[in-house]
Amino acid sequence: MPEKKITTDSGIEIKENYSAKDLHHLDHSNAGEFPFTRGVQSSMYRGKLWTMRQYAGFSTAEESNKRYHYLLKQGVSGLSVAFDLPTQIGYDSNHALADGEVGKVGVAIDSLEDMEKLFEGINLEEVSTSMTINATGFILLAFYVALAKKQGADLNKISGTIQNDILKEYAARGTYIYPPQPSMRIITDIFEWCSKELPKWNTISISGYHIREAGSTAVQEIAFTLSNGKAYVKAAIEKGLDINVFGKRLSFFFNAHNNLFEEVAKFRAARRMWANIMKELGATDEKAMMLRFHTQTGGSTLTAQQPMNNISRVTIQTLAAVLGGTQSLHTNGYDEALSLPTEEAAKIALRTQQIVAFESGAADTVDPLAGSYFVESLTNEVEEAATKLIDAIDAMGGSVAAIESGFIQDEIARSAYEYQRNIENNSKVIVGVNTFISTDHEKIPGFRIDDSIQKMQCDKIDLLKSKRDNDAVQSILNKISATAKTNENLMPVVLEAVETNCTLGEIADVLRSVFGEYR
């Protein structure tokens, strides 16, 4: 009887034994040296641990603020903001299309006043903030900067990231507003403005996370993400920006799944690939060639069946991210297949990071798995497979063309179908789902958002509009419209608009009237 073929989740065959003969290419560089296979810092976590973030945001700004203060007391070293769907797609909470969605999957932010409440009692100079926001990322950044100015903060010290990755929205997630070309214009406007006004801010987090959540393999995750990264870099170069300046402020966002060694190999390969891509695109400063990334454990791997098993899954994924050299990490709550994470689940998720950091020994030396015949061989194979995909996308004209033709979407859908089929025919084991099934159902208390939140937000908008200078608001909205029709940078006028108390929806709508909407 022939031996069963074993593969990674990307279909890379795993041999029974690995030896030096399998290492047709061994990268002898050290961490902190080009091409950064072993990490972007020479001492990695011996010098500084990864930033421990917990992604949080729900209901109103006031309620989310309480959770942020709780997490800061528990030891998080950076905040990560989740926004509700209306905020993500540029609708105020009183818009008809926001009905039933306000505060549900994140916090509702309609105005600068909401942003003030969200960070009340938090000094923006002292905390790094990541914001998962794309189509309206420029507006949320303007809110954040306006708040920092009100706090009297030095903008040279403000640090954080906006996700700001619209290409993956077209390919995998769907929270886009404008067509690709004006969306790319907004992104390069952010690059340009931040390089002068907000030098420590990461202007984009090029995201493979949602590509993986949509059903891609690990190989597709890095191939499509790095290909999108190339598109942003080329757009910035065409705008006349210096790759050695904006390249240092690019960051990435990856998923961590359960196949431990493939995930570690994926992170190592992605660093090496990006360093070479940036060098080919003209970067000469090695810091502009570094792939720095945030990781989130895999939401799609969490099961509603036997949810406490998810703690073990998240622990494996945490180890994958750390052994792979992440700069920042969010760990999911065990109950997230059922509801928003409860406070208890969020605390256990954070403690998982802290146990790996302080008890496991994984942070004690640089790239602990380097030199493993298996890991080094798998790193090379992941790189080779991902490079083939990027070459195919380049031949189509790049990521924008590949998305517009449906190529990337079709590839993700095919992989998602294959993965689900393997679960259903039991060739892919998911503990508690298709094997080791229990008839006992654990009762996990869910965390639900009350529908009264929408009325509270609508009342706040009404009050804001009744007390602001509405003539000044109309004047600045007209100015945004006029600026959008030129090649001028949009960020200064959008910042002026939020400081004049324009709402997020008003700003997004003005640009809808100029740019149109992507269908």
Side-chain angles (χ1 to χ4, degrees):
M1 187 175 169
E3 187 178 312
K4 183 185 173 189
K5 182 178 172 183
I6 296 175
T7 67
T8 69
D9 289 342
S10 296
I12 296 169
E13 187 170 359
I14 300 173
K15 302 193 326 182
E16 185 174 357
N17 287 299
Y18 285 81
S19 69
K21 289 185 291 186
D22 295 294
L23 300 182
H24 58 276
H25 167 70
L26 182 59
D27 184 346
H28 290 287
S29 63
N30 293 317
E33 294 177 358
F34 179 89
F36 311 108
T37 310
R38 300 194 62 196
V40 293
Q41 302 295 338
S42 59
S43 60
M44 284 304 288
Y45 305 133
R46 287 172 70 109
K48 180 179 181 289
L49 285 173
W50 63 92
T51 301
M52 297 183 194
R53 297 188 190 277
Q54 285 306 114
Y55 184 51
F58 55 88
S59 183
T60 61
E62 291 86 348
E63 287 302 310
S64 293
N65 176 262
K66 290 177 191 173
R67 177 66 66 91
Y68 295 158
H69 280 285
Y70 171 78
L71 289 169
L72 288 165
K73 283 176 186 168
Q74 298 303 316
V76 299
S77 44
L79 296 174
S80 186
V81 184
F83 298 96
D84 71 359
L85 281 174
T87 303
Q88 291 180 48
I89 53 177
Y91 293 121
D92 287 334
S93 297
N94 59 1
H95 194 284
L97 291 177
D99 197 34
E101 292 293 342
V102 176
K104 288 290 174 70
V105 299
V107 62
I109 298 294
D110 295 311
S111 67
L112 178 56
E113 286 187 357
D114 284 334
M115 195 61 107
E116 290 178 59
K117 294 290 183 187
L118 187 65
F119 290 100
E120 191 167 3
I122 297 169
N123 186 332
L124 300 192
E125 272 192 24
E126 295 173 359
V127 68
S128 166
T129 302
S130 172
M131 295 189 277
T132 303
I133 195 75
N134 297 286
T136 54
F138 65 108
I139 305 173
L140 272 299
L141 178 60
F143 283 145
Y144 195 84
V145 171
L147 174 57
K149 286 169 69 178
K150 286 186 93 166
Q151 285 189 356
D154 179 353
L155 296 187
N156 291 308
K157 295 179 182 175
I158 297 297
S159 65
T161 306
I162 43 171
Q163 193 164 100
N164 195 31
D165 175 5
I166 203 65
L167 291 179
K168 70 97 177 41
E169 296 295 333
Y170 300 123
R173 193 162 171 269
T175 63
Y176 45 74
I177 304 174
Y178 314 113
Q181 292 306 326
S183 294
M184 294 293 277
R185 177 257 177 101
I186 291 169
I187 287 168
T188 54
D189 279 358
I190 293 168
F191 286 2
E192 180 181 51
W193 185 81
C194 285
S195 70
K196 298 168 187 167
E197 305 293 336
L198 219 62
K200 287 182 73 177
W201 193 266
N202 296 324
T203 50
I204 194 167
S205 178
I206 305 159
S207 176
Y209 184 85
H210 305 98
I211 290 170
R212 192 69 179 279
E213 290 293 283
S216 83
T217 65
V219 164
Q220 289 172 330
E221 179 189 354
I222 60 168
F224 298 154
T225 305
L226 299 187
S227 189
N228 288 348
K230 284 178 76 171
Y232 293 125
V233 171
K234 286 179 177 179
I237 291 170
E238 284 169 16
K239 194 179 176 75
L241 304 184
D242 184 346
I243 190 171
N244 289 315
V245 176
F246 74 79
K248 295 174 188 173
R249 302 268 45 104
L250 306 178
S251 67
F252 288 79
F253 175 25
F254 290 121
N255 211 311
H257 273 220
N258 294 325
N259 194 315
L260 177 68
F261 297 107
E262 181 175 44
E263 293 300 296
V264 173
K266 176 188 80 178
F267 296 132
R268 298 173 88 248
R271 261 195 303 273
R272 189 159 71 205
M273 291 170 71
W274 185 247
N276 285 306
I277 286 168
M278 287 297 275
K279 193 172 187 178
E280 287 166 13
L281 290 170
T284 54
D285 187 329
E286 287 200 348
K287 287 189 176 175
M289 303 176 200
M290 291 178 177
L291 183 145
R292 296 164 299 113
F293 66 98
H294 169 71
T295 309
Q296 182 172 336
T297 56
S300 62
T301 68
L302 304 181
T303 64
Q305 302 93 327
Q306 301 178 30
M308 299 305 284
N309 291 348
N310 294 328
I311 297 173
S312 299
R313 293 186 177 102
V314 168
T315 304
I316 292 168
Q317 294 162 12
T318 300
L319 271 170
V322 171
L323 293 171
T326 194
Q327 276 61 67
S328 168
L329 179 61
H330 162 83
T331 34
N332 289 335
Y334 64 82
D335 54 359
E336 289 189 48
L338 301 165
S339 69
L340 288 167
T342 58
E343 204 166 83
E344 180 206 19
K347 182 165 76 172
I348 290 171
L350 175 61
R351 292 290 182 259
T352 302
Q353 291 200 52
Q354 292 164 335
I355 289 167
V356 169
F358 298 107
E359 296 185 28
S360 75
D364 292 348
T365 191
V366 171
D367 193 15
L369 296 181
S372 155
Y373 297 139
F374 179 38
V375 171
E376 293 291 358
S377 178
L378 194 52
T379 300
N380 293 338
E381 290 193 76
V382 167
E383 180 179 15
E384 286 164 16
T387 299
K388 279 182 189 170
L389 260 179
I390 291 176
D391 289 345
I393 291 167
D394 285 346
M396 296 174 199
S399 269
V400 175
I403 288 165
E404 288 176 338
S405 72
F407 170 77
I408 290 177
Q409 298 92 312
D410 290 345
E411 287 291 297
I412 294 169
R414 181 180 53 76
S415 296
Y417 172 75
E418 199 69 28
Y419 186 80
Q420 185 59 35
R421 192 174 69 170
N422 289 339
I423 292 172
E424 290 173 9
N425 67 24
N426 282 7
S427 60
K428 174 70 180 174
V429 171
I430 306 294
V431 173
V433 175
N434 61 1
T435 189
F436 307 113
I437 297 166
S438 172
T439 53
D440 298 330
H441 296 294
E442 299 168 60
K443 287 192 167 61
I444 302 290
F447 182 34
R448 297 281 183 265
I449 301 301
D450 195 283
D451 285 329
S452 64
I453 297 303
Q454 183 164 1
K455 184 175 186 312
M456 290 169 62
Q457 280 299 114
C458 292
D459 289 345
K460 284 198 273 185
I461 293 170
D462 289 343
L463 180 61
L464 174 71
K465 289 183 176 180
S466 71
K467 65 184 184 182
R468 70 184 185 180
D469 182 342
N470 285 300
D471 289 336
V473 164
Q474 191 54 55
S475 174
I476 193 65
L477 291 174
N478 292 341
K479 191 173 174 184
I480 290 175
S481 178
T483 305
K485 293 167 187 170
T486 71
N487 291 322
E488 285 181 56
N489 195 301
L490 278 165
M491 281 305 297
V493 69
V494 171
L495 179 58
E496 190 181 343
V498 303
E499 290 177 327
T500 312
N501 286 317
C502 294
T503 67
L504 173 132
E506 288 171 331
I507 296 167
D509 278 347
V510 166
L511 293 176
R512 277 187 181 94
S513 69
V514 177
F515 298 145
E517 291 186 76
Y518 183 71
R519 301 291 183 189

